[in-house]
PDB file of all heavy atoms in Angstrom:
ATOM      1  N   GLN A   3      -9.662  11.002   3.425  1.00 95.00           N
ATOM      2  CA  GLN A   3      -8.238  11.193   3.715  1.00 95.00           C
ATOM      3  C   GLN A   3      -7.570   9.984   3.910  1.00 95.00           C
ATOM      4  O   GLN A   3      -8.099   9.009   4.600  1.00 95.00           O
ATOM      5  CB  GLN A   3      -8.041  12.145   4.968  1.00 95.00           C
ATOM      6  CG  GLN A   3      -8.435  13.589   4.664  1.00 95.00           C
ATOM      7  CD  GLN A   3      -8.079  14.419   5.813  1.00 95.00           C
ATOM      8  OE1 GLN A   3      -8.514  14.207   7.048  1.00 95.00           O
ATOM      9  NE2 GLN A   3      -7.256  15.511   5.679  1.00 95.00           N
ATOM     10  N   LEU A   4      -6.344   9.836   3.496  1.00 96.00           N
ATOM     11  CA  LEU A   4      -5.514   8.667   3.567  1.00 96.00           C
ATOM     12  C   LEU A   4      -4.097   9.057   4.127  1.00 96.00           C
ATOM     13  O   LEU A   4      -3.502  10.020   3.412  1.00 96.00           O
ATOM     14  CB  LEU A   4      -5.353   7.746   2.357  1.00 96.00           C
ATOM     15  CG  LEU A   4      -6.742   7.212   1.843  1.00 96.00           C
ATOM     16  CD1 LEU A   4      -6.569   6.808   0.379  1.00 96.00           C
ATOM     17  CD2 LEU A   4      -7.093   6.036   2.691  1.00 96.00           C
ATOM     18  N   VAL A   5      -3.633   8.611   5.149  1.00 97.00           N
ATOM     19  CA  VAL A   5      -2.374   9.014   5.766  1.00 97.00           C
ATOM     20  C   VAL A   5      -1.434   7.898   5.880  1.00 97.00           C
ATOM     21  O   VAL A   5      -1.714   6.940   6.737  1.00 97.00           O
ATOM     22  CB  VAL A   5      -2.567   9.851   7.032  1.00 97.00           C
ATOM     23  CG1 VAL A   5      -1.245  10.211   7.672  1.00 97.00           C
ATOM     24  CG2 VAL A   5      -3.487  10.947   6.734  1.00 97.00           C
ATOM     25  N   GLU A   6      -0.323   7.820   5.152  1.00 98.00           N
ATOM     26  CA  GLU A   6       0.615   6.738   5.322  1.00 98.00           C
ATOM     27  C   GLU A   6       1.635   7.097   6.379  1.00 98.00           C
ATOM     28  O   GLU A   6       2.017   8.195   6.561  1.00 98.00           O
ATOM     29  CB  GLU A   6       1.408   6.584   4.015  1.00 98.00           C
ATOM     30  CG  GLU A   6       0.481   6.212   2.765  1.00 98.00           C
ATOM     31  CD  GLU A   6      -0.005   7.455   2.021  1.00 98.00           C
ATOM     32  OE1 GLU A   6       0.001   8.556   2.592  1.00 98.00           O
ATOM     33  OE2 GLU A   6      -0.209   7.264   0.822  1.00 98.00           O
ATOM     34  N   SER A   7       2.174   6.033   6.936  1.00 98.00           N
ATOM     35  CA  SER A   7       3.283   6.052   7.912  1.00 98.00           C
ATOM     36  C   SER A   7       4.007   4.834   7.952  1.00 98.00           C
ATOM     37  O   SER A   7       3.612   3.833   7.456  1.00 98.00           O
ATOM     38  CB  SER A   7       2.708   6.504   9.320  1.00 98.00           C
ATOM     39  OG  SER A   7       1.854   5.436   9.823  1.00 98.00           O
ATOM     40  N   GLY A   8       5.176   4.925   8.594  1.00 98.00           N
ATOM     41  CA  GLY A   8       5.969   3.587   8.852  1.00 98.00           C
ATOM     42  C   GLY A   8       7.188   3.488   7.978  1.00 98.00           C
ATOM     43  O   GLY A   8       7.934   2.594   8.189  1.00 98.00           O
ATOM     44  N   GLY A   9       7.464   4.385   7.011  1.00 98.00           N
ATOM     45  CA  GLY A   9       8.633   4.288   6.256  1.00 98.00           C
ATOM     46  C   GLY A   9       9.761   4.662   6.977  1.00 98.00           C
ATOM     47  O   GLY A   9       9.871   5.093   8.120  1.00 98.00           O
ATOM     48  N   GLY A  10      10.940   4.360   6.391  1.00 98.00           N
ATOM     49  CA  GLY A  10      12.175   4.714   6.980  1.00 98.00           C
ATOM     50  C   GLY A  10      13.393   4.125   6.171  1.00 98.00           C
ATOM     51  O   GLY A  10      13.208   3.675   5.066  1.00 98.00           O
ATOM     52  N   LEU A  11      14.497   4.043   6.809  1.00 98.00           N
ATOM     53  CA  LEU A  11      15.753   3.552   6.206  1.00 98.00           C
ATOM     54  C   LEU A  11      16.135   2.241   6.868  1.00 98.00           C
ATOM     55  O   LEU A  11      16.193   2.103   8.114  1.00 98.00           O
ATOM     56  CB  LEU A  11      16.928   4.476   6.386  1.00 98.00           C
ATOM     57  CG  LEU A  11      18.248   4.033   6.040  1.00 98.00           C
ATOM     58  CD1 LEU A  11      18.283   3.814   4.562  1.00 98.00           C
ATOM     59  CD2 LEU A  11      19.358   5.084   6.475  1.00 98.00           C
ATOM     60  N   VAL A  12      16.168   1.213   6.073  1.00 98.00           N
ATOM     61  CA  VAL A  12      16.530  -0.142   6.612  1.00 98.00           C
ATOM     62  C   VAL A  12      17.666  -0.783   5.712  1.00 98.00           C
ATOM     63  O   VAL A  12      17.842  -0.304   4.589  1.00 98.00           O
ATOM     64  CB  VAL A  12      15.324  -1.097   6.690  1.00 98.00           C
ATOM     65  CG1 VAL A  12      14.231  -0.625   7.537  1.00 98.00           C
ATOM     66  CG2 VAL A  12      14.664  -1.187   5.245  1.00 98.00           C
ATOM     67  N   GLN A  13      18.340  -1.752   6.244  1.00 98.00           N
ATOM     68  CA  GLN A  13      19.299  -2.525   5.465  1.00 98.00           C
ATOM     69  C   GLN A  13      18.640  -3.578   4.677  1.00 98.00           C
ATOM     70  O   GLN A  13      17.483  -3.957   4.965  1.00 98.00           O
ATOM     71  CB  GLN A  13      20.270  -3.159   6.412  1.00 98.00           C
ATOM     72  CG  GLN A  13      21.079  -2.259   7.158  1.00 98.00           C
ATOM     73  CD  GLN A  13      22.091  -2.985   8.186  1.00 98.00           C
ATOM     74  OE1 GLN A  13      22.063  -4.167   8.308  1.00 98.00           O
ATOM     75  NE2 GLN A  13      23.138  -2.178   8.700  1.00 98.00           N
ATOM     76  N   HIS A  14      19.341  -3.933   3.588  1.00 98.00           N
ATOM     77  CA  HIS A  14      18.761  -5.057   2.754  1.00 98.00           C
ATOM     78  C   HIS A  14      18.514  -6.220   3.683  1.00 98.00           C
ATOM     79  O   HIS A  14      19.225  -6.564   4.549  1.00 98.00           O
ATOM     80  CB  HIS A  14      19.739  -5.393   1.694  1.00 98.00           C
ATOM     81  CG  HIS A  14      21.031  -6.023   2.143  1.00 98.00           C
ATOM     82  ND1 HIS A  14      21.194  -7.343   2.435  1.00 98.00           N
ATOM     83  CD2 HIS A  14      22.228  -5.376   2.347  1.00 98.00           C
ATOM     84  CE1 HIS A  14      22.457  -7.522   2.718  1.00 98.00           C
ATOM     85  NE2 HIS A  14      23.137  -6.354   2.733  1.00 98.00           N
ATOM     86  N   GLY A  15      17.408  -6.885   3.479  1.00 98.00           N
ATOM     87  CA  GLY A  15      16.938  -8.040   4.297  1.00 98.00           C
ATOM     88  C   GLY A  15      16.180  -7.695   5.416  1.00 98.00           C
ATOM     89  O   GLY A  15      15.516  -8.578   6.061  1.00 98.00           O
ATOM     90  N   GLY A  16      15.989  -6.339   5.617  1.00 98.00           N
ATOM     91  CA  GLY A  16      15.193  -5.900   6.810  1.00 98.00           C
ATOM     92  C   GLY A  16      13.754  -5.873   6.552  1.00 98.00           C
ATOM     93  O   GLY A  16      13.307  -6.184   5.416  1.00 98.00           O
ATOM     94  N   SER A  17      12.898  -5.431   7.536  1.00 98.00           N
ATOM     95  CA  SER A  17      11.584  -5.357   7.442  1.00 98.00           C
ATOM     96  C   SER A  17      10.938  -3.966   7.938  1.00 98.00           C
ATOM     97  O   SER A  17      11.616  -3.301   8.704  1.00 98.00           O
ATOM     98  CB  SER A  17      10.926  -6.369   8.377  1.00 98.00           C
ATOM     99  OG  SER A  17      11.276  -7.765   7.900  1.00 98.00           O
ATOM    100  N   LEU A  18       9.748  -3.704   7.405  1.00 98.00           N
ATOM    101  CA  LEU A  18       9.101  -2.500   7.774  1.00 98.00           C
ATOM    102  C   LEU A  18       7.603  -2.841   7.632  1.00 98.00           C
ATOM    103  O   LEU A  18       7.257  -3.653   6.812  1.00 98.00           O
ATOM    104  CB  LEU A  18       9.308  -1.220   6.838  1.00 98.00           C
ATOM    105  CG  LEU A  18      10.737  -0.518   6.985  1.00 98.00           C
ATOM    106  CD1 LEU A  18      10.789   0.500   5.842  1.00 98.00           C
ATOM    107  CD2 LEU A  18      10.759   0.104   8.296  1.00 98.00           C
ATOM    108  N   ARG A  19       6.736  -2.237   8.444  1.00 98.00           N
ATOM    109  CA  ARG A  19       5.358  -2.198   8.376  1.00 98.00           C
ATOM    110  C   ARG A  19       4.778  -0.839   8.121  1.00 98.00           C
ATOM    111  O   ARG A  19       4.991   0.010   8.984  1.00 98.00           O
ATOM    112  CB  ARG A  19       4.700  -2.864   9.625  1.00 98.00           C
ATOM    113  CG  ARG A  19       3.173  -3.199   9.328  1.00 98.00           C
ATOM    114  CD  ARG A  19       2.502  -3.788  10.602  1.00 98.00           C
ATOM    115  NE  ARG A  19       2.255  -2.797  11.600  1.00 98.00           N
ATOM    116  CZ  ARG A  19       1.400  -2.890  12.637  1.00 98.00           C
ATOM    117  NH1 ARG A  19       0.608  -3.983  12.700  1.00 98.00           N
ATOM    118  NH2 ARG A  19       1.321  -1.919  13.579  1.00 98.00           N
ATOM    119  N   LEU A  20       4.138  -0.622   6.961  1.00 98.00           N
ATOM    120  CA  LEU A  20       3.578   0.566   6.603  1.00 98.00           C
ATOM    121  C   LEU A  20       2.108   0.548   7.087  1.00 98.00           C
ATOM    122  O   LEU A  20       1.353  -0.501   7.025  1.00 98.00           O
ATOM    123  CB  LEU A  20       3.682   0.863   5.054  1.00 98.00           C
ATOM    124  CG  LEU A  20       5.087   0.794   4.439  1.00 98.00           C
ATOM    125  CD1 LEU A  20       4.919   1.120   2.926  1.00 98.00           C
ATOM    126  CD2 LEU A  20       6.042   1.723   5.142  1.00 98.00           C
ATOM    127  N   SER A  21       1.623   1.660   7.444  1.00 98.00           N
ATOM    128  CA  SER A  21       0.217   1.845   7.946  1.00 98.00           C
ATOM    129  C   SER A  21      -0.394   2.861   7.048  1.00 98.00           C
ATOM    130  O   SER A  21       0.226   3.882   6.551  1.00 98.00           O
ATOM    131  CB  SER A  21       0.180   2.256   9.372  1.00 98.00           C
ATOM    132  OG  SER A  21       0.818   1.268  10.246  1.00 98.00           O
ATOM    133  N   CYS A  22      -1.613   2.683   6.842  1.00 97.00           N
ATOM    134  CA  CYS A  22      -2.513   3.634   6.061  1.00 97.00           C
ATOM    135  C   CYS A  22      -3.776   3.898   6.843  1.00 97.00           C
ATOM    136  O   CYS A  22      -4.698   2.959   6.915  1.00 97.00           O
ATOM    137  CB  CYS A  22      -2.848   3.179   4.791  1.00 97.00           C
ATOM    138  SG  CYS A  22      -3.892   4.117   3.779  1.00 97.00           S
ATOM    139  N   ALA A  23      -3.893   5.072   7.504  1.00 97.00           N
ATOM    140  CA  ALA A  23      -5.073   5.478   8.323  1.00 97.00           C
ATOM    141  C   ALA A  23      -6.056   6.112   7.390  1.00 97.00           C
ATOM    142  O   ALA A  23      -5.702   7.098   6.696  1.00 97.00           O
ATOM    143  CB  ALA A  23      -4.664   6.345   9.465  1.00 97.00           C
ATOM    144  N   ALA A  24      -7.313   5.572   7.364  1.00 94.00           N
ATOM    145  CA  ALA A  24      -8.303   6.171   6.489  1.00 94.00           C
ATOM    146  C   ALA A  24      -9.316   6.913   7.413  1.00 94.00           C
ATOM    147  O   ALA A  24      -9.650   6.557   8.486  1.00 94.00           O
ATOM    148  CB  ALA A  24      -9.067   4.982   5.809  1.00 94.00           C
ATOM    149  N   SER A  25      -9.894   8.036   6.774  1.00 94.00           N
ATOM    150  CA  SER A  25     -10.832   8.738   7.433  1.00 94.00           C
ATOM    151  C   SER A  25     -11.806   9.264   6.301  1.00 94.00           C
ATOM    152  O   SER A  25     -11.408   9.412   5.132  1.00 94.00           O
ATOM    153  CB  SER A  25     -10.372  10.000   8.329  1.00 94.00           C
ATOM    154  OG  SER A  25      -9.581  10.833   7.552  1.00 94.00           O
ATOM    155  N   GLY A  26     -13.048   9.553   6.705  1.00 91.00           N
ATOM    156  CA  GLY A  26     -14.064  10.181   5.718  1.00 91.00           C
ATOM    157  C   GLY A  26     -14.716   8.970   5.016  1.00 91.00           C
ATOM    158  O   GLY A  26     -15.679   9.329   4.233  1.00 91.00           O
TER     159      GLY A  26
END
Side-chain angles (χ1 to χ4, degrees):
Q3 289 185 303
L4 297 165
V5 180
E6 302 93 336
S7 62
L11 174 64
V12 298
Q13 295 181 349
H14 64 87
S17 298
L18 287 171
R19 189 180 73 159
L20 306 184
S21 298
C22 175
S25 61

